[in-house]
Amino acid sequence: MNGYKRRLKRLKYNPVTEDILKELVDIVGEKNVLTDEAKIEAYSHDETPKEKYASFPEVVVLPNSTEEVSSLVKLANRELIPVTPRGAGSGLSGGAIPDHGGIVISLENMNKVIEYDFGNMMMVLEAGVITNDVQEDLEDEGLFFAGYPMSLESCFIGGNIAENAGGGKAVKYGVTGRYIMGMEVVLPNGEIVELGGKNVKDVTGYDLKKLMIGSEGTLGIVTQATIKLLPKPTKEVALLVLFDDAKTAISTVPKIMTETGIIPTGIEFMDKLAVKTSCEYLNEHLPYEDCGAMLLIEVDGADEEQVEKDYFKIGEICEKNNAQEVYVADNHTTSERVWNVRRNIAEAFMVVSPEQSLEDITVPIASIPDLIPELQRLGEKYDIQIPCYGHAGDGNLHATLVKNPDHTMEEWYEIEHECLKELYEVTYKLGGTLSGEHGIGSKRKKYFKSAVSGEELRLMRMIKKGFDPNNIMNPGKIFDLED
Amino acid sequence: MNGYKRRLKRLKYNPVTEDILKELVDIVGEKNVLTDEAKIEAYSHDETPKEKYASFPEVVVLPNSTEEVSSLVKLANRELIPVTPRGAGSGLSGGAIPDHGGIVISLENMNKVIEYDFGNMMMVLEAGVITNDVQEDLEDEGLFFAGYPMSLESCFIGGNIAENAGGGKAVKYGVTGRYIMGMEVVLPNGEIVELGGKNVKDVTGYDLKKLMIGSEGTLGIVTQATIKLLPKPTKEVALLVLFDDAKTAISTVPKIMTETGIIPTGIEFMDKLAVKTSCEYLNEHLPYEDCGAMLLIEVDGADEEQVEKDYFKIGEICEKNNAQEVYVADNHTTSERVWNVRRNIAEAFMVVSPEQSLEDITVPIASIPDLIPELQRLGEKYDIQIPCYGHAGDGNLHATLVKNPDHTMEEWYEIEHECLKELYEVTYKLGGTLSGEHGIGSKRKKYFKSAVSGEELRLMRMIKKGFDPNNIMNPGKIFDLED
């Protein structure tokens, strides 16, 4: 049934013919046009389960410049061939998967730093630069980029923008979008536009830059970005706080901020199963055996004494709220060990049980404690495990539905769907929504209408049609143009 | 000529008839429908020069609820009557002026706090709440709202959102938009939508909330807002730093941040004429007599020692850069005196010389020093004074063209236009743009096309047409729909 529907939808697009392939070669050169099945397999999926979401492109092209991207998109728009922009493929909602075949435009060759502008505390980058490379590049400059997705070792800056990636420092610093000052975008008609620039403030017309951020590659392809840098904190301390159970841990989260008045860099939550799975995957040992849940709290600053005062106050609040133990990781190596466990949870679960649904629900921080018992209830009701971890300080939790080995794949898909529907209903009731940082993509598309009003959907469709009248740019992601 | 063009444009709208007035009375009640010329005069202008920009509405209505706003807009949309949303009227670009007559919808009656939600560190407000009332309301809660326009004693939160207002704390805290978590909006078709909410992170579809912020009331009327609060800094210190001349002062601005790594709350610049004018207006005495320019630098934090360290470091950098004198205002009363001078410059100039053009250009911070000699050159070339002040730490300067009493009004309008064109060209060359926080409105509309590309304008027009097909919502602001 699914296959049939897909074919029906594809009817309106044209196939990538031999003639088109020749034109693509003319634009980017032969070695940058991939059609070999073994080579393009890597572009058929992201970090969502392959069996459910993978879809092959007809061709993958690797442009080397914005002008080449522009020519590629003009060609696709003229010939009505779908285009799927792709960063590192580390996405978690299927955003970079070519659901309708066509052309995948991978930004991997466009990985140069265009400009270091330390006088403005900014950098100009091509979209294919790896996020962590920026940090390493800045190591000696006393500056840093505050975007910090968990996949920072692989993800591209362009993908971070397309998804408005969050991550581990968002409680204090906010998400990627806050640090994107300007961008160069190839629109669905192939025209190149510069949005924003190096002005700290700018109210000259509608904020198209902000509209582009988080639009999941459906409104254009980000080819360059001007990012804002901050003075690098000279001191960082991570607290690893152990609790008896998830509810006690999570209840402490809002209090950390409201009772101390301190905004930590990040407050990460991991339940026991999440820590255990990641530790086993990494062959790492954290003192998790005796606890039901952990908070990983990071504090940073320019002043060592201040940071010490802050983490001491936070530790006290945790102890007052029945923490078992507060461990202090005040050097980079220890802190990095703990963060590594946190960063690898998603990957560890994918290895242990590829049949799963990694969720990205977000609720107001005061409502987080009410969410945990609901997860437990749903796990019991559907007879599945729902480990939970995530950016508790933002109210953004990666509850993960894991297939019970006793269930058939058919049963699992049914359970997954029913359980997700119920999970989202619970989330909405708590004032929350579908996705905090992973995006809608194709994974959450069928639930999207439950999360927005009819008027919002109407406006989003209108914007999409206006930007992309032929619907060639990452078509079918987030929402369909018609019911 | 101007009057003729206006009438031509108005042809497509319908007048507010007696029947329409009756319907308006049915919606908001008799006392909330104003037609008396003496009463509606106040709604014919904002803080731009009246002679040039004022335009009378046919009727002013004061709704008491979102539902009333919705009914009013539905009526206007059905009858093709232009609607101009209005906050406190403290705008500086003509955004709240009813250029095409019709209905002014003033939000002044909608001034209630809907909810204090300290568990989420948020508040829900009606759009007509005065910005400073929020601060006063929070005085005892250890919280504050980081939006801080210079007009905070009069401006409404709804207007702040429509203009994405900046202000005196934006260097550290960013502008209004960062703190708007959710909003209720009446769209041009009269439908009510809730955008965002209390989720700290949210990537569920296109960011319509961010699109609405700064759209100057052309895409809908903000009726309620959920604002994010921050822990209130317990210590604030203001430094008043005197320099020989504007160029020396301005050259110090980027160094304060890049050489100390400290991001001050604000860095305000005032040249001698600006300080003198405001001091005389307020009958205040600052030690300005011997200096050519001043920086007002604020540092805040939760820790007294830290704040002291910070301002000491900043003071040192200023001295190293040839400051004449660094005065420290480390108590609220002294600091408030200085800030009061800064906040009242615009008003003081309006009283002294109502024929002026208060500009809002913004450049990358590293380019600020290059701007000052250009202002001097333009002043000499056009034989006018161009006092300058503003948010130097953001690169946002309120250069103000002041009419020379020797020039006739006709000469002045010609000079103003020519000088502005040249000023904007200089600004663009430095990587800057037209407006940092005051908006385009009608005041800068004719220069808008010089600041954005054809593709950007096309996309903005497309969005406007999609939101408002009948072009009834604040029509003709920012840009026209056709050339």
Side-chain angles (χ1 to χ4, degrees), chain B residues 300-339:
Chain B
D300 70 15
D303 189 78
E304 195 163 333
E305 267 175 66
Q306 184 58 42
V307 171
E308 272 168 23
K309 277 189 214 171
D310 285 354
Y311 84 67
F312 195 78
K313 266 198 216 170
I314 291 172
E316 276 184 333
I317 291 285
C318 290
E319 280 167 0
K320 215 177 92 185
N321 283 277
N322 304 314
Q324 287 179 354
E325 202 79 60
V326 180
Y327 293 96
V328 180
D330 60 356
N331 66 70
H332 186 70
T333 317
T334 318
S335 160
E336 191 42 41
R337 269 182 57 200
V338 184
W339 267 108

Side-chain angles (χ1 to χ4, degrees), chain B residues 271 273 374-376 378-379 384-388 399-402 419:
Chain B
D271 71 6
L273 187 58
E374 292 290 335
L375 294 177
Q376 282 161 347
L378 289 172
I384 54 173
Q385 282 193 306
I386 310 185
C388 185
T400 305
L401 282 53
V402 179
C419 184

Side-chain angles (χ1 to χ4, degrees), chain A residues 117-121 163-164 166-167 170 175 178 187 189 191-196 198-208 210-211 213-216 218-219 230-231 254 257-258 261-263 303 305-306 309 360 362-367 391 393-394 396 431-440 448 451-453 455-456 458-460 462-464 466-467 478-479, chain B residues 117-121 163-164 166-167 170 175 178 187 189 191-196 198-208 210-211 213-216 218-219 230-231 254 257-258 261-263 303 305-306 309 360 362-367 391 393-394 396 431-440 448 451-453 455-456 458-460 462-464 466-467 478-479:
Chain A
D117 180 355
F118 297 137
N120 280 308
M121 299 206 285
E163 302 294 321
N164 199 9
V175 296
R178 188 186 291 178
L187 295 172
N189 62 2
E191 293 297 323
I192 301 166
V193 287
E194 306 281 340
L195 305 176
K198 291 181 180 173
N199 296 299
V200 180
K201 285 158 64 181
D202 183 356
V203 293
T204 306
Y206 300 159
D207 201 337
L208 299 176
K210 287 271 166 67
L211 182 62
I213 293 167
S215 63
E216 306 192 14
T218 64
L219 301 180
L230 293 180
M257 290 176 280
T258 53
I262 298 161
I263 306 289
D303 189 78
E305 266 176 65
Q306 184 58 42
K309 277 189 213 171
D360 184 39
T362 178
V363 296
I365 57 165
S367 304
H391 316 294
D394 307 306
N396 181 209
T433 193
L434 210 45
S435 179
E437 57 178 20
H438 295 168
I440 305 301
F448 185 64
V452 298
S453 67
E455 277 297 304
E456 284 175 279
R458 181 181 70 79
L459 294 172
M460 291 184 200
M462 175 276 290
I463 290 169
K464 168 67 177 170
F467 271 75
I478 312 179
F479 50 80
Chain B
D117 180 357
F118 296 137
N120 280 309
M121 300 205 287
E163 302 295 319
N164 199 11
V175 297
R178 187 186 291 178
L187 296 172
N189 62 2
E191 294 297 323
I192 301 167
V193 287
E194 306 281 341
L195 304 177
K198 292 181 179 173
N199 296 298
V200 179
K201 284 158 64 180
D202 183 354
V203 291
T204 307
Y206 299 158
D207 202 337
L208 299 177
K210 288 268 166 68
L211 182 62
I213 293 167
S215 63
E216 306 192 16
T218 62
L219 301 179
L230 293 180
M257 291 176 279
T258 54
I262 299 161
I263 306 288
D303 189 78
E305 267 175 66
Q306 184 58 42
K309 277 189 214 171
D360 184 39
T362 178
V363 296
I365 57 164
S367 304
H391 316 292
D394 308 307
N396 181 209
T433 192
L434 210 45
S435 177
E437 56 178 21
H438 294 169
I440 305 301
F448 185 64
V452 298
S453 67
E455 279 296 303
E456 285 175 276
R458 181 181 69 80
L459 293 172
M460 291 184 199
M462 175 275 290
I463 290 170
K464 169 67 177 171
F467 270 75
I478 311 179
F479 50 80

Side-chain angles (χ1 to χ4, degrees), chain B residues 78 80 121 129 135 186 258 281 284 295 304 375 458 475:
Chain B
R78 191 189 72 211
L80 297 183
M121 300 205 287
V129 169
Q135 310 297 11
V186 174
T258 54
Y281 171 71
E284 170 61 271
L295 293 181
E304 195 163 333
L375 294 177
R458 181 181 69 80

Side-chain angles (χ1 to χ4, degrees), chain B residues 43-70:
Chain B
Y43 300 87
S44 71
H45 62 88
D46 61 1
E47 294 291 322
T48 51
K50 273 195 214 182
E51 247 183 85
K52 189 160 182 187
Y53 298 106
S55 174
F56 269 69
E58 289 158 76
V59 58
V60 176
V61 289
L62 316 177
N64 293 291
S65 69
T66 302
E67 290 65 33
E68 288 183 7
V69 176
S70 165

Side-chain angles (χ1 to χ4, degrees), chain B residues 181-444:
Chain B
M181 306 302 299
M183 55 171 81
E184 185 185 64
V185 178
V186 174
L187 296 172
N189 62 2
E191 294 297 323
I192 301 167
V193 287
E194 306 281 341
L195 304 177
K198 292 181 179 173
N199 296 298
V200 179
K201 284 158 64 180
D202 183 354
V203 291
T204 307
Y206 299 158
D207 202 337
L208 299 177
K209 185 187 72 184
K210 288 268 166 68
L211 182 62
M212 202 59 69
I213 293 167
S215 63
E216 306 192 16
T218 62
L219 301 179
I221 304 179
V222 175
T223 49
Q224 280 188 18
T226 302
I227 63 171
K228 175 87 193 144
L229 308 173
L230 293 180
K232 191 175 164 63
T234 46
K235 184 74 184 169
E236 292 175 344
V237 172
L239 300 180
L240 189 65
V241 190
L242 276 45
F243 292 86
D244 285 343
D245 52 62
K247 184 149 188 164
T248 314
I250 279 287
S251 304
T252 309
V253 172
K255 292 177 192 161
I256 289 169
M257 291 176 279
T258 54
E259 292 186 16
T260 67
I262 299 161
I263 306 288
T265 315
I267 307 177
E268 297 293 312
F269 167 79
M270 304 179 264
D271 71 6
K272 185 174 185 170
L273 187 58
V275 183
K276 188 167 172 282
T277 309
S278 185
C279 281
E280 282 169 4
Y281 171 71
L282 294 168
N283 198 20
E284 170 61 271
H285 298 277
L286 293 187
Y288 61 81
E289 278 80 6
D290 300 326
C291 81
M294 287 183 186
L295 293 181
L296 167 59
I297 305 166
E298 191 169 280
V299 183
D300 70 15
D303 189 78
E304 195 163 333
E305 267 175 66
Q306 184 58 42
V307 171
E308 272 168 23
K309 277 189 214 171
D310 285 354
Y311 84 67
F312 195 78
K313 266 198 216 170
I314 291 172
E316 276 184 333
I317 291 285
C318 290
E319 280 167 0
K320 215 177 92 185
N321 283 277
N322 304 314
Q324 287 179 354
E325 202 79 60
V326 180
Y327 293 96
V328 180
D330 60 356
N331 66 70
H332 186 70
T333 317
T334 318
S335 160
E336 191 42 41
R337 269 182 57 200
V338 184
W339 267 108
N340 202 34
V341 171
R342 167 60 191 90
R343 279 201 302 268
N344 280 279
I345 298 174
E347 215 166 312
F349 272 117
M350 272 303 279
V351 170
V352 174
S353 53
E355 277 83 42
Q356 48 150 289
S357 185
L358 167 51
E359 291 308 307
D360 184 39
I361 49 174
T362 178
V363 296
I365 57 164
S367 304
I368 318 176
D370 296 329
L371 191 64
I372 297 295
E374 292 290 335
L375 294 177
Q376 282 161 347
R377 184 182 64 78
L378 289 172
E380 284 163 25
K381 176 170 174 184
Y382 291 100
D383 192 20
I384 54 173
Q385 282 193 306
I386 310 185
C388 185
Y389 61 96
H391 316 292
D394 308 307
N396 181 209
L397 287 179
H398 300 316
T400 305
L401 282 53
V402 179
K403 179 180 174 292
N404 180 334
D406 295 344
H407 294 147
T408 65
M409 282 306 284
E410 204 162 62
E411 284 169 334
W412 158 239
Y413 287 140
E414 176 70 18
I415 286 170
E416 182 191 12
H417 177 59
E418 290 302 322
C419 184
L420 283 181
K421 271 203 306 192
E422 209 170 328
L423 173 63
Y424 297 150
E425 283 309 319
V426 163
T427 305
Y428 304 149
K429 249 183 229 159
L430 294 173
T433 192
L434 210 45
S435 177
E437 56 178 21
H438 294 169
I440 305 301
S442 39
K443 182 177 190 310
R444 296 184 183 88

Side-chain angles (χ1 to χ4, degrees), chain B residues 10-51:
Chain B
R10 283 178 64 171
L11 276 181
K12 68 174 209 177
Y13 295 114
N14 291 317
V16 177
T17 61
E18 285 303 316
D19 283 350
I20 299 287
L21 283 178
K22 270 184 211 145
E23 280 199 65
L24 295 176
V25 167
D26 284 346
I27 295 168
V28 296
E30 195 154 3
K31 74 173 196 307
N32 293 313
V33 176
L34 316 179
T35 50
D36 183 66
E37 190 163 320
K39 278 189 187 154
I40 66 177
E41 191 277 338
Y43 300 87
S44 71
H45 62 88
D46 61 1
E47 294 291 322
T48 51
K50 273 195 214 182
E51 247 183 85

